Amino acid sequence: MASLLHSLIPYHPFKALYVLVVFLSVFIRAPFWFLYLVPRFLRQHPSYTLRQSFMIQLLKVASHHSSLVRAHPHWTLLPGAEKERYERIPPSQKDIYHGVLNDREIKPIEVGATWYPTVYGPSDAKRKTIILHIHGGAFVVGDGRKSDLGHGARLLTSHTDSWVFGLQYRISSNPGCRFPAALQDAVTAYQSLLDRGIPASSIIVSGDSAGANLAIALLRYITEFPDVLPKPKAALLWCAWVNPASALKPNAASSNRNYNTDFLQDVFAEWGVRTYVPPPLDAAGPYISPMNHPFKCEGVPMWVQFGELEILADDIVKFAENMRGIEGNEVELHEDKGAPHDIFLIGNLLGFNDTIERMATAMGKWVKAKL
């Protein structure tokens, strides 16, 4: 019976009724959560402030229920609030879609991207580097626009003096957007920067969570087809989701040692994996779950960041160690003590501002040392 009810939730009128019930339930329970968390010893972690504990609890509940109703942004290529900073990118006419990107059903299409802090201007003497950032969201939510990536983009622009090109790729919660759609879009965006005359040596590939997974896939593709695309200057990988295949195991998140201190939920991760790599695609393959599939990426130093208290911590450390095990790879592993998942993207909402500043300062120094 429970599985039948869950299958009906994403559809109206059940969806609207469910959202109403959840909203009322959270509205009533939230004050009690807040009061419960006042004593420090009752918080998810003793280092968490009251605000951090309360916001993590709210986000955990929101993540669970939004996943059940399959809530995701409406796909549009209209400029919106980004206005002239938003641009549409047609698929490349060059022969750049090979291997896993040459799919019989999924084809490259026009996508969008947002410039931060302003539209790219090659005459700007201050900014010499372009950061192609790929947003997170378990492949099913997010759009790289101001409301989604604004905080992360400010961290990148203010600490690296770079432009940020925030990609709006096809998310798999929409029909016909399974793998390799998002990777095709990342390749399209990367090629579009090259077509402007921007040298690959001035481009840094960046991504958070599922976006970091795509950034790794883009690097793998570039190294697999060296005659198709040149290597970027460096890569920034924030809380990379390096083993999505594990989300298909029962209670993968809730059985993790950091479940109580993080906000990630089983249902959210499973939704992402099942729509991004539906059968017969292999979720454990190298382009989907790179943790146990290291590859040679010589000449592209990687900044690999993770939160001490996030569910993905152990997987990220293992990925970094495996990549370091290949001669020529350069991997800088950065751990943020007392931090949950993806403070790069939403840490400001959760109240981790001091940790974010330390993280961004360290990243900025690392990037400037590589330029």
Side-chain angles (χ1 to χ4, degrees):
M1 179 61 72
S3 61
L4 175 61
L5 291 176
H6 281 179
S7 67
L8 293 175
I9 287 174
Y11 304 99
H12 289 295
F14 306 101
K15 182 175 183 177
L17 180 61
Y18 183 83
V19 169
L20 177 61
V21 171
V22 169
F23 177 81
L24 292 174
S25 172
V26 171
F27 182 78
I28 294 171
R29 295 158 65 193
F32 295 97
W33 292 335
F34 186 86
L35 292 174
Y36 174 82
L37 294 169
V38 169
R40 187 173 292 274
F41 71 90
L42 290 176
R43 297 173 193 172
Q44 301 93 330
H45 192 268
S47 67
Y48 283 173
T49 65
L50 177 57
R51 176 188 173 185
Q52 291 167 349
S53 293
F54 181 68
M55 292 304 297
I56 286 175
Q57 175 63 23
L58 277 183
L59 190 55
K60 182 173 286 193
V61 172
S63 172
H64 176 82
H65 293 294
S66 64
S67 300
L68 290 178
V69 300
R70 302 295 189 255
H72 60 87
H74 173 65
W75 172 265
T76 177
L77 293 179
L78 296 176
E82 293 72 27
K83 299 181 180 178
E84 71 280 356
R85 293 190 297 112
Y86 184 83
E87 68 175 58
R88 298 165 72 152
I89 313 169
S92 178
Q93 297 303 306
K94 297 179 180 179
D95 187 21
I96 62 171
Y97 306 102
H98 300 280
V100 295
L101 299 189
N102 186 14
D103 190 272
R104 288 190 300 176
E105 298 175 355
I106 307 300
K107 303 297 180 184
I109 66 168
E110 185 178 44
V111 293
T114 302
W115 284 106
Y116 301 88
T118 59
V119 176
Y120 169 69
S123 61
D124 188 338
K126 179 183 179 183
R127 303 182 188 279
K128 302 292 186 182
T129 306
I130 309 294
I131 298 178
L132 170 60
H133 186 82
I134 309 172
H135 69 80
F139 307 113
V140 289
V141 297
D143 57 16
R145 294 176 183 251
K146 183 179 178 180
S147 60
D148 174 50
L149 184 57
H151 171 255
R154 282 192 297 273
L155 291 179
L156 294 172
T157 57
S158 62
H159 287 82
T160 65
D161 292 332
S162 303
W163 282 285
V164 171
F165 198 45
L167 174 63
Q168 179 185 353
Y169 59 86
R170 285 171 284 177
I171 52 177
S172 60
S173 50
N174 289 315
C177 294
R178 61 161 174 82
F179 179 85
L183 183 54
Q184 289 175 346
D185 300 342
V187 168
T188 295
Y190 190 75
Q191 180 64 55
S192 77
L193 295 177
L194 299 174
D195 289 342
R196 298 169 193 267
I198 300 170
S201 58
S202 294
I203 300 174
I204 294 176
V205 172
S206 175
D208 64 278
S209 194
N213 177 292
L214 284 167
I216 296 168
L218 175 59
L219 294 176
R220 183 185 295 274
Y221 183 79
I222 290 172
T223 58
E224 187 175 337
F225 297 95
D227 297 331
V228 175
L229 294 171
K231 293 179 180 178
K233 182 67 177 179
L236 301 172
L237 307 175
W238 310 89
C239 297
W241 194 15
V242 292
N243 191 25
S246 66
L248 297 177
K249 300 176 182 178
N251 305 314
S254 54
S255 62
N256 187 280
R257 66 182 179 87
N258 283 339
Y259 178 71
N260 289 332
T261 55
D262 205 357
F263 56 83
L264 292 177
Q265 295 286 285
D266 288 302
V267 65
F268 183 55
E270 184 179 358
W271 175 31
V273 177
R274 292 196 182 280
T275 55
Y276 186 58
V277 279
L281 298 181
D282 181 14
Y287 273 95
I288 310 299
S289 296
M291 183 179 72
N292 292 320
H293 300 282
F295 59 99
K296 190 176 183 66
C297 199
E298 188 173 6
V300 184
M302 298 181 184
W303 162 274
V304 180
Q305 177 270 345
F306 71 100
E308 175 197 13
L309 303 179
E310 69 168 296
I311 286 174
L312 304 184
D314 294 339
D315 287 351
I316 294 170
V317 171
K318 185 175 182 180
F319 166 78
E321 291 174 346
N322 288 342
M323 289 296 288
R324 283 173 172 170
I326 296 184
E327 185 178 0
N329 286 353
E330 180 182 348
V331 179
E332 178 76 14
L333 187 61
H334 175 87
E335 178 184 19
D336 285 301
K337 294 292 186 180
H341 181 65
D342 210 355
I343 60 172
F344 167 85
L345 191 69
I346 59 172
N348 59 324
L349 299 177
L350 299 178
F352 287 88
N353 297 313
D354 291 343
T355 305
I356 292 169
E357 185 59 31
R358 290 192 296 269
M359 173 190 73
T361 299
M363 176 274 300
K365 291 179 179 179
W366 183 85
V367 167
K368 290 173 183 177
K370 302 302 175 184
L371 297 180

